[in-house]
């Protein structure tokens, strides 16, 4: 069981109110249908990036499903996150094919370069590092996925190079002075 | 140039290898040169090891090129299209003369994968032009009954491709036997085995054949609705399935009087998984579709009697469904002609790991594992020594080299202690540590256990702890007996397949590679040089040139030495990351 998924560290902040209108729309769409807990949670996570506490109450009020059930579902599945994440997810595959082709070297090189451990977010809020089991591109092992793009036949150094390039690109396109230094 | 067509393979693996950029580059060059060339898309033909793949059809024949990244596109266009001279260097396959890659395709028999890499998966017309939806049309035209179809499927001998190997015809017969106005047919596209990608390729490459198989199954059991439970990690598969569903609805293959069969009202919906391996198990999958935690429940009642929303339900794997239209069209006998006595037809395998040609292959049951790995797979990467092949993922086991002449069929593979599983074949060589592999799988099942059964929840954790101890060099001689004892208890006292098979990776490696476990425990050595804590890195002074590369790269500054003088590694500070080993250009770092 993934007990370590329930991370008690930083209390998550609640999202701004404006986002809730989108959630209302989502809830209305699923209103009255059965078996919708997972798609609702997936939808909310799509909108907010994670599942903040207030949202559970809101879904419960709307659907009549107890918060405990919702929370039970959210902590059961690997996809759901109870904490905010960076702008881009770096998913390093640790499936069988990647494991036997030294995926751990890829992970440690990234951890080293970004100064974060598995599951953590970089201080600039750009990347969250996550290890996953099989991205289905085993023939290109070892593999990682950043955002929606997949990269294969990696070494630690190549993975770090790709990440640095992405960071550079992100920095040049953002006007945020903090990220531009 | 007229009638020339260029087709780019755009499966997930191709896109990951850069096929998207290749496609764009070709598009640009066609536009710039105002070339009279059609550009098309297809999915994966299985030759993932040569992605990105580009196929050119012209008046002289068909040419498949491999490794065509963006930078090689101008050369191909220039030489092949403009000068009409095929570029032999990158040719993978052509009908005009033999190529080294022919042996990858020669012994394959494509039934499930018959259209993968041949058609554009986003165009229903292309599927139809390749015999698609002919099986349902045959059912409508010949007024075949549910009993007729079940009889054909039974006679074909097809067994479930999701791992269990249960005869599909029998399963349909049970489900058809329960009458209810609401009845479900579910396609299991959860593909949780890490290291397997058969179902992904079929869904991305030929989604309509899966839909047609489900329609036939739905008609045979009398289902009112179909559900495809697809893992969320497969966004491209989900996208193409959605396109295919809309096209099938538009053409009347789904909906009221589906396929023109009166009173057959049937539609299919997609449910996205949310990341839980156990949801591949039938009752857990049902719980997940209903929106609950995916915990398996006791059987009976079997889903055929009481499944989704307590209604009769039939679940089959993607590959099982994909074979059905072919069986209905070509007859049970044609399918049963392939294979062995008890395992009929063909099986798709995902070849990965330390094999030269990794990709997707479909072979008749009864081929030896050695033939799959060496003839089709081209042997072991870097010509290293073949050690074992892992089949069946977390529920399976490692088959050693000396059993490589085992044939692939359900019973022969089970006899080795592994299982056929869904078709993942991860090849391992001398540099793979079998204790580490066992630990890898136990770590996986331990995390993925739903927690319901004590023996699965805690037993896998205890086994994992022992394996961690052994790979850290702290193992005790009694550990091996304890592992076997725990394994037996977990097998005996768990509810679902996850727990019952979780010890298999440990049991098979113990059976075939006990000496490796003993080397870890007794000599504190990892013969494959994988287990970090059992390694020491030292500098070979006669080879070291004092270039300082190792010292500069060491993340913990554990390497001392002056320029142009031999360096040394301080063992107490070394974290055994291996960076110096990979960075040294003079092979002066030694690992022991
Ligand atoms: C833990 C566990 C995971 C499973 N994962 C899958 C899976 O990912 N895909 C699949 O088709 N079957 C999976 N199965 C097997 C299914 O429970 C079921 O037997 C299969 O979907 C039935 O289809 P078939 O008869 O066509 O093989 C899994 C079983 C267990 C116990
Ligand atoms: S094992 Fe890494 S992509 Fe499958």
């Amino acid at each position: 069981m993934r007990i370590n998924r329930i991370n008690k560290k930083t209390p998550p902040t609640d999202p701004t109110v404006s986002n809730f209108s989108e959630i209302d729309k989502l809830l209305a769409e699923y209103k009255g249908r059965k078996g919708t807990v997972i798609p609702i949670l997936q939808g909310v996570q799509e909108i907010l990036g994670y599942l903040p506490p207030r949202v559970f109450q809101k879904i419960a009020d709307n659907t009549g499903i107890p918060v405990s059930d919702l929370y039970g579902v959210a902590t059961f599945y690997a996809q759901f996150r109870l904490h905010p994440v960076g702008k881009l997810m770096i998913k390093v595959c640790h499936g069988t094919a990647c494991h036997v082709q030294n995926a751990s070297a890829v992970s440690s090189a990234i951890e080293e370069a970004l100064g974060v451990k598995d599951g953590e977010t970089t201080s600039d809020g750009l990347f969250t590092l996550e290890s996953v089991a099989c991205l289905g591109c085993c023939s290109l092992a070892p593999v990682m996925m950043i955002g929606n793009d997949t990269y294969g036949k990696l070494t630690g150094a190549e993975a770090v190079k790709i990440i640095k390039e992405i960071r550079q690109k992100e920095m040049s396109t953002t006007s945020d002075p903090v990220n531009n230094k | 140039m007229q009638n020339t067509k260029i087709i780019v393979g755009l499966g997930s693996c191709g896109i990951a290898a850069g096929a998207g950029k290749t496609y764009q580059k070709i598009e640009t060059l066609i536009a710039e040169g105002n070339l009279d060339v059609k550009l098309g898309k297809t999915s994966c033909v299985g030759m993932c090891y040569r992605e990105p793949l580009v196929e050119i059809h012209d008046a002289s024949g068909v040419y498949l090129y491999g490794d065509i990244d963006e930078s090689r596109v101008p050369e191909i266009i220039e030489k092949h299209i403009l000068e009409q001279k095929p570029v032999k260097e990158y040719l993978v396959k052509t009908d005009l003369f033999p190529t080294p890659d022919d042996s990858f395709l020669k012994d394959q028999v494509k039934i499930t994968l018959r259209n993968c890499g041949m058609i554009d998966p986003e165009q229903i017309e292309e599927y139809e032009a390749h015999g698609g939806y002919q099986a349902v049309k045959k059912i409508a035209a010949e007024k075949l009954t549910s009993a007729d179809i079940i009889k054909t499927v039974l006679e074909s001998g097809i067994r479930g491709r999701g791992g269990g190997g249960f005869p599909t015809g029998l399963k349909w017969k049970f489900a058809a036997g329960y009458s209810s106005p609401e009845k479900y047919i579910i396609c299991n596209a959860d593909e949780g085995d890490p290291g397997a990608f058969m179902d992904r390729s079929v869904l991305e490459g030929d989604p309509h054949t899966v839909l047609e198989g489900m329609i036939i199954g739905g008609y045979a059991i009398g289902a009112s609705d179909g559900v495809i439970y697809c893992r969320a990690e497969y966004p491209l598969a989900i996208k193409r399935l959605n396109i295919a569903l809309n096209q099938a609805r538009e053409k009347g293959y789904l909906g009221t009087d589906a396929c023109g069969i009166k009173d057959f009202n049937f539609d299919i919906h997609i449910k996205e998984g949310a990341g839980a391996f156990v949801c591949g198990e039938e009752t857990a999958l049902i719980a997940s579709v209903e929106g609950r935690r995916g915990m398996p429940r006791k059987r009976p009642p079997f889903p055929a009697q009481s499944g989704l929303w307590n209604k009769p339900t039939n679940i089959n794997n993607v590959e099982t469904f994909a074979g059905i239209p072919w069986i209905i069209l070509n007859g049970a006998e044609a399918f049963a002609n392939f294979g062995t006595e008890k395992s009929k037809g063909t099986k798709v395998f995902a070849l990965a790991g330390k094999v030269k040609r990794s990709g997707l292959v479909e072979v008749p049951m009864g081929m030896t594992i050695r033939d799959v790995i060496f003839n089709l797979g081209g042997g072991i990467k870097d010509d290293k020594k073949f050690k074992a092949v892992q089949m069946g993922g977390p529920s399976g086991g490692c088959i050693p080299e000396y059993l490589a002449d085992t044939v692939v069929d359900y019973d022969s593979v089970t006899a080795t202690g592994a299982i056929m599983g869904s078709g993942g074949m991860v090849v391992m060589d001398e540099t793979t540590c079998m204790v580490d592999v066992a630990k890898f799988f136990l770590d996986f099942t331990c995390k993925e256990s739903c927690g319901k059964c004590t023996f699965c929840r805690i037993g896998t954790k205890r086994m994992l702890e022992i394996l961690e101890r052994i790979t850290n060099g702290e193992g005790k001689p009694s550990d091996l007996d304890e592992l076997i004892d725990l394994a037996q208890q977990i097998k005996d006292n768990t509810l679902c397949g996850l727990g019952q098979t979780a010890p298999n990776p440990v049991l098979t490696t113990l059976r075939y590679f006990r000496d490796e476990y003993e080397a870890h425990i007794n000599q504190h050595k990892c013969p494959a040089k994988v287990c970090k804590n059992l390694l020491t890195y030292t500098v070979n002074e006669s080879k070291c040139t004092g270039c300082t590369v190792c010292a500069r790269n060491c993340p913990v500054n554990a390497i001392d030495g002056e320029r142009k003088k031999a360096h040394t590694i301080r063992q107490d500070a070394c974290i055994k990351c291996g960076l110096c080993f990979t960075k040294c250009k003079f092979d002066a770092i030694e690992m022991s």
Side-chain angles (χ1 to χ4, degrees):
Chain A
M1 289 207 305
R2 300 187 203 82
I3 305 234
N4 52 353
R5 284 183 26 76
I6 307 168
N7 150 356
K8 297 199 187 62
K9 259 188 351 202
T10 45
T13 47
D14 269 352
T16 53
V17 182
S18 68
N19 286 328
F20 276 120
S21 68
E22 269 184 82
I23 293 173
D24 285 330
K25 235 189 281 164
L26 181 86
L27 288 170
E29 193 186 316
Y30 286 111
K31 191 93 197 165
R33 285 161 55 183
K34 57 181 182 177
T36 53
V37 174
I38 293 173
I40 288 176
L41 293 177
Q42 283 170 331
V44 172
Q45 184 161 292
E46 182 79 29
I47 297 166
L48 301 175
Y50 74 110
L51 302 172
R54 256 167 73 191
V55 159
F56 284 100
Q57 192 57 55
K58 186 167 178 67
I59 301 173
D61 293 345
N62 188 284
T63 60
I65 301 165
V67 171
S68 56
D69 282 8
L70 296 171
Y71 191 70
V73 169
T75 52
F76 184 85
Y77 294 97
Q79 188 186 29
F80 296 122
R81 299 183 290 256
L82 302 178
H83 289 266
V85 285
K87 183 169 172 201
L88 293 166
M89 297 293 293
I90 304 178
K91 296 184 181 175
V92 183
C93 177
H94 284 259
T96 319
C98 292
H99 178 78
V100 302
Q101 293 185 87
N102 218 355
S104 51
V106 175
S107 278
S108 27
I110 298 176
E111 286 181 5
E112 164 90 26
L114 294 182
V116 293
K117 292 227 154 48
D118 187 19
E120 294 178 352
T121 304
T122 52
S123 53
D124 60 359
L126 189 52
F127 298 113
T128 298
L129 182 62
E130 186 182 53
S131 52
V132 297
C134 197
L135 294 165
C137 293
C138 321
S139 47
L140 302 173
V143 177
M144 71 172 173
M145 200 167 165
I146 302 179
N148 288 322
D149 296 326
T150 311
Y151 304 86
K153 296 185 181 168
L154 296 170
T155 60
E158 274 166 62
V160 170
K161 194 172 145 229
I162 293 166
I163 291 170
K164 283 196 174 143
E165 281 169 10
I166 293 176
R167 173 172 270 168
Q168 209 108 66
K169 221 185 274 167
E170 287 289 331
M171 280 179 166
S172 60
T173 52
T174 169
S175 54
D176 182 348
V178 184
N179 286 337
N180 265 339
K181 65 176 175 216
Chain B
M1 215 187 295
Q2 234 175 357
N3 293 326
T4 300
K5 191 164 182 194
I6 305 181
I7 301 168
V8 182
L10 290 168
S12 279
C13 41
I15 293 172
K21 287 187 187 139
T22 299
Y23 184 90
Q24 283 168 2
K25 186 82 191 170
I26 298 175
E27 202 171 30
T28 320
L29 290 186
I30 290 178
E32 279 173 8
N34 210 0
L35 306 176
D36 184 13
V37 172
K38 282 209 195 79
L39 179 58
K41 297 175 190 171
T42 186
S43 196
C44 174
V45 270
M47 298 176 124
C48 310
Y49 63 102
R50 295 296 298 269
E51 295 279 9
L53 290 162
V54 173
E55 194 169 72
I56 302 185
H57 296 241
D58 63 19
S60 63
V62 178
Y63 305 81
L64 181 65
Y65 289 104
D67 303 313
I68 307 301
D69 58 19
E70 192 183 9
S71 69
R72 287 186 176 154
V73 169
E75 184 182 348
I76 295 283
I77 298 280
E78 172 90 27
K79 292 200 179 136
H80 190 127
I81 305 290
L82 297 175
E83 296 170 20
Q84 313 222 332
K85 281 190 213 130
V87 193
K88 279 200 171 172
E89 205 184 329
Y90 311 130
L91 258 183
V92 178
K93 187 182 155 41
T94 167
D95 296 333
L96 307 179
F97 48 84
T99 66
D101 289 274
D102 283 346
S103 57
F104 182 80
L105 294 166
K106 194 173 88 312
D107 295 323
Q108 293 198 46
V109 175
K110 299 212 176 189
I111 293 178
T112 311
L113 302 179
R114 61 195 180 282
N115 295 325
C116 285
M118 301 292 157
I119 62 170
D120 182 340
E122 298 182 10
Q123 306 284 340
I124 191 170
E125 290 77 14
E126 291 209 11
Y127 178 65
E128 288 175 321
H130 280 74
Y133 291 110
Q134 288 300 322
V136 289
K137 283 182 183 150
K138 176 176 166 175
I139 291 170
E142 298 179 10
K143 299 210 159 43
L144 298 182
T145 62
S146 152
D148 295 332
I149 294 167
I150 292 174
K151 183 162 171 281
T152 305
V153 174
L154 265 175
E155 282 172 1
S156 75
I158 186 171
R159 294 168 66 171
R161 300 300 195 230
F166 194 81
T168 305
L170 213 51
K171 213 171 179 175
W172 287 14
K173 199 169 154 186
F174 291 147
Y178 292 96
S179 64
S180 162
E182 278 169 67
K183 226 188 225 191
Y184 299 99
I185 192 153
I186 299 180
C187 174
N188 189 342
D190 197 40
E191 193 152 69
D193 172 3
F197 51 95
M198 303 75 50
D199 296 349
R200 173 184 67 70
S201 294
V202 174
L203 293 170
E204 284 177 6
D206 195 10
H208 283 289
T209 194
V210 179
L211 300 189
E212 191 177 2
M214 286 184 75
I215 294 170
I216 297 168
Y219 175 68
I221 70 159
S224 49
D225 260 303
V227 176
I228 302 174
Y229 185 84
C230 189
R231 56 191 302 236
E233 288 90 338
Y234 289 173
L236 186 60
I238 293 171
K239 178 184 149 208
R240 290 192 177 154
L241 275 172
N242 271 318
I243 294 174
L245 281 171
N246 284 334
Q247 293 171 339
R249 283 187 198 117
E250 246 163 56
K251 292 226 171 191
Y253 296 119
L254 292 171
T256 325
D257 295 336
C259 307
I261 302 171
K262 193 156 178 349
D263 296 329
F264 175 46
N265 305 327
F266 181 75
D267 205 343
I268 299 175
H269 301 277
I270 299 175
K271 278 271 178 182
E272 272 183 50
F277 171 65
V278 70
C279 288
E281 198 277 342
E282 300 197 351
T283 58
L285 187 154
I286 289 169
S288 180
V289 174
E290 291 175 357
R292 293 181 283 123
R293 290 165 73 94
M295 317 264 269
R297 64 156 172 80
K298 208 171 88 199
R299 297 179 299 178
F302 286 93
Q305 185 189 351
S306 175
L308 184 59
W309 310 114
N310 300 322
K311 300 288 186 257
T313 301
N314 180 81
I315 303 180
N316 282 115
N317 166 262
V318 171
E319 196 185 327
T320 313
F321 281 124
I324 297 291
W326 192 94
I327 292 174
I328 298 296
L329 267 186
N330 295 278
E333 208 176 314
F335 188 81
N337 275 340
F338 296 108
T340 61
E341 158 111 46
K342 287 192 183 150
S343 304
K344 300 295 183 197
T346 57
K347 177 78 194 89
V348 181
F349 290 101
L351 268 180
K354 310 276 182 82
V355 62
K356 277 190 184 146
R357 301 171 181 159
S358 54
L360 216 58
V361 299
E362 181 169 1
V363 299
M365 298 272 194
M367 187 180 273
T368 65
I369 292 175
R370 193 183 300 281
D371 279 345
V372 175
I373 295 173
F374 285 87
N375 273 1
L376 277 61
I380 308 301
K381 258 187 201 164
D382 304 325
D383 293 317
K384 289 217 167 83
K385 199 167 162 298
F386 171 42
K387 187 174 192 173
V389 58
Q390 212 286 339
M391 285 180 74
S395 306
C398 293
I399 300 171
E401 192 272 341
Y402 74 86
L403 290 179
D405 291 313
T406 305
V407 297
V408 286
D409 73 19
Y410 290 94
D411 310 284
S412 310
V413 176
T414 306
T416 66
I419 60 163
M420 181 88 124
S422 55
M425 271 197 187
V426 181
V427 178
M428 298 168 179
D429 67 8
E430 54 193 327
T431 62
T432 313
C433 169
M434 302 316 274
V435 188
D436 176 70
V437 168
K439 184 181 79 174
F440 165 79
F441 280 114
L442 257 290
D443 179 55
F444 180 83
T445 38
C446 180
K447 281 186 189 140
E448 295 295 337
S449 168
C450 78
K452 186 165 180 164
C453 306
T454 314
F455 284 82
C456 178
R457 183 180 69 243
I458 301 173
T460 52
K461 178 84 180 151
R462 289 291 98 85
M463 284 184 84
L464 177 62
E465 284 165 0
I466 296 177
L467 292 167
E468 278 171 347
R469 209 156 64 212
I470 296 176
T471 51
N472 281 336
E474 293 153 7
K476 296 181 290 211
S478 62
D479 278 347
L480 299 186
D481 287 338
E482 200 170 327
L483 277 176
I484 293 172
D485 182 41
L486 276 166
Q488 198 53 49
Q489 299 208 36
I490 296 172
K491 274 177 170 281
D492 291 345
N493 296 295
T494 45
L495 190 61
C496 86
L498 191 148
Q500 287 159 7
T501 59
N504 284 352
V506 178
L507 291 176
T508 53
T509 46
L510 256 175
R511 179 154 147 200
Y512 299 118
F513 302 95
R514 199 179 174 102
D515 53 332
E516 281 195 40
Y517 281 85
E518 287 169 349
H520 282 75
I521 296 173
N522 300 331
Q523 287 121 46
H524 304 292
K525 271 198 181 124
C526 174
K529 299 184 179 168
V530 171
C531 298
K532 268 189 186 174
N533 288 338
L534 301 182
L535 298 179
T536 38
Y537 289 90
T538 46
V539 179
N540 180 333
E541 292 188 7
S542 63
K543 286 187 179 170
C544 180
T545 63
C547 73
T548 74
V549 159
C550 59
R552 275 185 282 127
N553 277 288
C554 179
V556 290
N557 294 323
I559 304 181
D560 302 325
E562 283 172 43
R563 221 185 154 72
K564 298 202 173 150
K565 284 198 183 131
H567 283 45
T568 49
I569 301 176
R570 267 179 291 116
Q571 296 301 331
D572 54 339
C574 174
I575 55 164
K576 301 172 189 188
C577 67
L579 210 58
C580 52
F581 183 81
T582 42
K583 289 281 176 192
C584 180
K585 292 195 187 80
F586 307 99
D587 290 329
I589 307 283
E590 287 174 353
M591 187 164 66
S592 64

